[in-house]
């Protein structure tokens, strides 16, 4: 088992951004997406779950979450939608016992009823095993693209860290990866893709943070093209391989950009970085 840390250093800068378009269609008028958010109680209780719902018959097209405080000792092990794509649930659990108060944020990006045709939830779940690394991909049906995604770790005893929730440029699938840093025994990882009929404009924007040994790190995805809004949020850690976790998947309140934060949960003296992703639709 790797040695675990509670302390963290300061934020680093952000490196050059890249923008990947899929497809290369001019942005159209916004479809009226909106964000809803909820925050759990702030205390030292372990664990915490927060659930937030879209209004009325509106549906989830993107999910996000954030661990507030916790100093890297708290893992965000679930950011997922329910089967009807109406609610988003986020779970935080302590990897290292801490007396520091912390809380969990849940974010849902919602589409007005009927604004996105053919919305459906696609889920893929790993085998129940104790592998050191587990990666799972959820693929949208032919003719549909992913607007957002989520993940869920079960039966991991707070010893499995999420290393990525990643969209591909074609926006046809979502992948999540988890690394074991303790002794969880058998566990499962589920990846979710929120799939629908493509809108006239859909784009993936992403940016990498600086690569160094400082922690935590936050990267902010480039702004969505004019006339489009943030739907899904992703993050990819490179270089930590089980010594850190994704602690923030944040669609900004105006739905024009997104943040991703990575935190160390174990002593780690080598360089690493985080990539922030967002799916822009319009």
């Amino acid at each position: 088992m790797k040695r675990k840390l509670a302390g963290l250093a300061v934020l680093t800068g952000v490196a050059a951004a890249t923008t990947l378009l899929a497809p290369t269609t001019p942005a159209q008028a916004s479809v009226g997406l909106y964000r809803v958010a909820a925050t759990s109680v702030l205390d030292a209780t372990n664990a915490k779950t927060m659930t937030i719902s879209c209004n009325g018959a509106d549906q989830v097209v993107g999910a996000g979450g954030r661990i507030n405080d916790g100093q890297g000792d708290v893992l965000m092990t679930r950011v997922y939608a329910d089967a009807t794509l109406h609610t988003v649930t986020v779970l935080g659990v302590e990897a290292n016992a801490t007396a520091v108060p912390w809380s969990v944020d849940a974010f849902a990006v919602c589409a007005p009823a009927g604004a996105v045709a053919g919305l459906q939830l696609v889920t893929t779940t790993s085998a129940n095993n104790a592998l050191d690394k587990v990666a799972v991909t959820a693929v949208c049906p032919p003719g549909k693209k992913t607007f957002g995604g989520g993940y869920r770790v079960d039966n991991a005893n707070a010893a499995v860290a999420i290393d990525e929730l990643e969209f591909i440029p074609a926006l046809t699938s979502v992948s999540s990866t988890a690394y074991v840093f303790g002794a969880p025994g058998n566990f499962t990882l589920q990846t979710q893709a929120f799939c629908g009929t493509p809108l006239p404009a859909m784009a993936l924007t992403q940016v990498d943070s600086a690569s160094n040994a400082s922690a935590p790190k936050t990267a902010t995805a480039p702004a969505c093209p004019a006339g489009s809004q943030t739907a899904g949020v992703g993050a990819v850690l490179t270089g930590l391989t089980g010594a850190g976790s994704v602690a923030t998947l944040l669609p900004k309140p105006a739905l024009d950009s997104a943040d991703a934060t990575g935190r160390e949960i174990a002593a780690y003296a080598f360089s690493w970085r985080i990539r922030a992703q967002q799916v822009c639709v319009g």
Side-chain angles (χ1 to χ4, degrees), residues 178-194:
Y179 278 92
V180 169
F181 67 90
N186 291 338
F187 70 96
T188 59
L189 171 64
Q190 182 183 93
T191 302
Q192 296 183 324
F194 311 152

Side-chain angles (χ1 to χ4, degrees), residues 89 91 266 276 279:
T89 299
L91 172 66
V279 179

Side-chain angles (χ1 to χ4, degrees), residues 51-266:
T51 298
I52 189 71
S53 299
C54 295
N55 300 328
D58 299 347
Q59 288 186 285
V60 171
V61 293
R66 177 170 57 190
I67 303 298
N68 301 304
D69 303 312
Q71 299 184 5
D73 292 319
V74 181
L75 303 180
M76 190 165 66
T77 59
R78 297 180 188 174
V79 179
Y80 69 99
D82 71 325
T84 65
L85 286 176
H86 186 63
T87 69
V88 169
T89 299
V90 179
L91 172 66
V93 295
E94 294 179 6
N96 304 312
T98 178
V100 176
W102 58 276
S103 64
V104 169
D105 290 334
F107 305 104
V109 179
C110 304
V116 178
L119 270 177
Q120 69 179 97
L121 176 66
V122 175
T123 63
T124 304
T125 305
S126 72
N128 187 38
N129 56 49
L131 298 177
D132 287 340
K133 175 184 177 181
V134 176
V136 180
T137 299
V139 181
C140 289
K144 293 190 177 183
K145 291 187 181 292
T146 182
F147 287 68
Y151 63 85
R152 175 174 176 148
V153 176
D154 284 295
N155 302 318
N157 301 317
V160 173
I162 292 296
D163 192 73
E164 69 181 36
L165 179 68
E166 182 175 23
F167 301 94
I168 66 169
L171 297 178
T172 53
S173 67
V174 185
S175 298
S176 66
T177 301
Y179 278 92
V180 169
F181 67 90
N186 291 338
F187 70 96
T188 59
L189 171 64
Q190 182 183 93
T191 302
Q192 296 183 324
F194 311 152
C195 304
T197 301
L199 291 175
M202 296 188 71
L204 177 68
T205 73
Q206 57 185 6
V207 67
D208 285 348
S209 73
S211 181
N212 54 41
S214 297
K217 291 186 178 72
T218 294
T220 300
C224 286
S228 61
Q229 296 175 283
T230 303
V233 182
V236 180
L237 294 173
T238 301
L240 276 172
T241 60
S245 67
V246 174
T248 298
L249 294 167
L250 172 65
K252 296 291 189 68
L255 293 183
D256 56 353
S257 187
D259 286 348
T261 298
R263 291 182 178 271
E264 293 179 2
I265 52 176

